[in-house]
Amino acid sequence: MALGLTQVIVARQPRVGIISSGDELVSPHVQPTLGQVRDVNAFTLSALVEQEGGVPVHFGIQPDRVDELLGAARQALQKSDVVVITAGSSASTRDLTAEVIDALGAPGVLVHGVNVRPGKPTILAVCAGKAVIGLPGNPVSALVIASLFVTPVLQVLLGLRRILPPPGVKATLTLNLPSQAGREDWFPVRLVASPQGFLAEPVFGKSNLIFTLARADGLIRIPADANGLQAGTPVDVTYM
């Protein structure tokens, strides 16, 4: 106002179409039967999208069939700025998702598989000028990969010119953590206050168990050029 500027340019909130894929998925409101699991990813990803300034748009749970998944994906691509597909645990789902994404438009799939744990089967694509990302079905993997790849896309669409690092705190690792050389690992940890500062206690659990993240305060990164981290190593804990 002091400069006489009465109008400013703002960015429209990007719409993120979210599709859950898997014959075994059911709504969280349904009591699962044998071989079924509740769809966690649609809701955790919605929270991440809202936190980053986007608008999540749900396109439902789609079975592991090309025609139905492709129909939902085309609708999502038309009505959204970004499309995110989370795959189920079916053995063929990864290839099915890549096939569907490739059919959405050129250039299609750019990357099928990233050297990151958790989240190796990630798909990165551009279809008709829009980002399309295929996430792993496991809840921990999906959320970690979304923070690595979906969040930067939203920041670009929002026109952010100065990207600040995610909030976190420095801590000291309490246990040895092995890692495969050449692969980037993200590991959940719990923060414990001590007279010497914060300690980072690893939270062990499989990537299909959401309580692994529920019990953690944040994530630490083991770089690809390391064989792991030793107890006593200073680490940066990124808040979840």
Side-chain angles (χ1 to χ4, degrees), residues 174-220:
T174 61
L175 296 173
N176 293 335
L177 285 180
S179 177
Q180 179 180 313
R183 182 186 68 198
E184 180 177 291
D185 284 7
W186 289 82
F187 212 93
V189 296
R190 185 171 69 95
L191 289 171
V192 178
S194 76
Q196 292 76 35
F198 283 110
L199 303 177
E201 292 186 348
V203 178
F204 296 98
K206 295 183 178 180
S207 59
N208 63 334
L209 302 175
I210 192 62
F211 73 76
T212 304
L213 288 185
R215 293 176 177 175
D217 297 306
L219 299 168
I220 62 172

Side-chain angles (χ1 to χ4, degrees), residues 21-23 62-72 92-93 96 100:
S21 169
D23 292 329
Q62 304 301 324
D64 291 329
R65 289 188 287 278
V66 171
D67 54 347
E68 296 189 46
L69 182 56
L70 180 56
S92 63
T93 300
L96 174 66
V100 167

Side-chain angles (χ1 to χ4, degrees), residues 83-162:
V83 177
V84 176
I85 302 175
T86 66
S89 60
S90 172
S92 63
T93 300
R94 286 290 83 203
D95 293 334
L96 174 66
T97 305
E99 179 183 347
V100 167
I101 292 176
D102 254 341
L104 291 178
V109 174
L110 303 176
V111 174
H112 190 178
V114 294
N115 213 10
V116 177
R117 182 184 180 186
K120 183 178 179 180
T122 299
I123 300 171
L124 305 177
V126 175
C127 303
K130 297 179 181 180
V132 180
I133 300 175
L135 299 179
N138 287 335
V140 175
S141 302
L143 198 54
V144 170
I145 292 298
S147 66
L148 293 177
F149 294 103
V150 177
T151 294
V153 172
L154 293 178
Q155 291 172 339
V156 170
L157 291 176
L158 286 168
L160 298 182
R161 297 179 180 177
R162 182 167 177 254

